[in-house]
Amino acid sequence: MKVDGHLLIDLKNGDEKSFETLFWKYNEHVYHFIYSLLYEKSMAEDLTQNVFLKIWEKHETIDVEQN
């Protein structure tokens, strides 16, 4: 799953709109992946939320080249 480079650059620079776009574009994919491993709805929801929270907390360290 390749993320648009411009979106990552904007996210790295702290653009909240880019984060929102990333969330709405990939939230369902991340949730389904986690759910396929755990088969536990509430835990998959919590972990999905944690994934995106961690992305925002570490947005300044995103390596755009690594995608």
Side-chain angles (χ1 to χ4, degrees):
M1 183 178 327
K2 190 156 174 89
V3 180
D4 177 39
H6 295 292
L7 182 67
L8 288 178
I9 291 169
D10 292 343
L11 178 59
K12 182 175 179 143
N13 291 325
D15 181 49
E16 291 180 20
K17 185 71 174 164
S18 295
F19 176 75
E20 184 179 339
T21 300
L22 182 85
F23 176 82
W24 288 113
K25 186 171 184 178
Y26 294 103
N27 178 54
E28 191 172 327
H29 296 288
V30 172
Y31 169 78
H32 287 296
F33 174 72
I34 294 171
Y35 183 79
S36 74
L37 298 173
L38 303 175
Y39 296 104
E40 173 63 43
K41 183 179 182 215
S42 63
M43 188 176 283
E45 289 170 348
D46 288 346
L47 288 172
T48 300
Q49 183 177 10
N50 286 342
V51 165
F52 285 97
L53 178 61
K54 193 61 76 177
I55 289 170
W56 180 250
E57 288 175 346
K58 305 228 178 230
H59 71 272
E60 293 174 339
T61 63
I62 291 173
D63 184 349
V64 178
E65 298 299 319
Q66 293 292 320
N67 198 345

